[in-house]
Amino acid sequence: MRHAKAEPFASTDHARVLTDRGHADAAEAGRWLAGLGALPTHVLVSTAARTRETWAAVAESAGAKAEVSFDEALYHGGVDAAVEAIQVVDPEAETVMFIGHNPTAAYLSHFLDDGDGDEEAISGMLRGFPACAVVVFELTGSWADVRPEAGRVVAFHAP
């Protein structure tokens, strides 16, 4: 998931918070995930204010209760950092959610996509990855085995 719409400026980029629209879009995404039955059991979140607020709005609207890891590497790092964070998630975690920034969120989605998933969802994902976009993947194997083309796109949501 890419964080929801954030204010354009703050004292630092890290301190940027969500706009009213961002809060509403994140809440909508949470309801969508709940309706899909795709609530996470473990969430990897960048330490930026906007990603933390995105998770808070998703969790509240979805009624999600998950183990949450706030990771500075997800703020500064790219796809490699995101993949490494996923690979060390507790093997018992059933559903993992990443909440980060672009271009990493979009690149990670393309990195994981095996090309054989839901055609409508893939088409939506390929049209762009706006703020608050969410891609749901089905993965086989363990989190430690995450690699390119390891997942099948099941659903895509964008506000």
Side-chain angles (χ1 to χ4, degrees), residues 21-37:
R21 175 182 152 205
H23 283 284
D25 288 348
E28 176 189 331
R31 290 187 293 275
W32 178 78
L33 285 167
L36 197 62

Side-chain angles (χ1 to χ4, degrees), residues 1-7 16-29 49-55 57-58 99-101 130-134 159:
M1 177 177 198
R2 180 180 175 192
H3 67 78
K5 179 78 173 157
E7 64 184 359
R16 291 173 48 213
V17 296
L18 296 184
T19 63
D20 289 344
R21 175 182 152 205
H23 283 284
D25 288 348
E28 176 189 331
R50 60 194 179 274
T51 52
R52 288 172 169 268
E53 288 186 351
T54 297
W55 167 242
V58 167
I99 302 177
H101 310 270
C132 211
V134 183

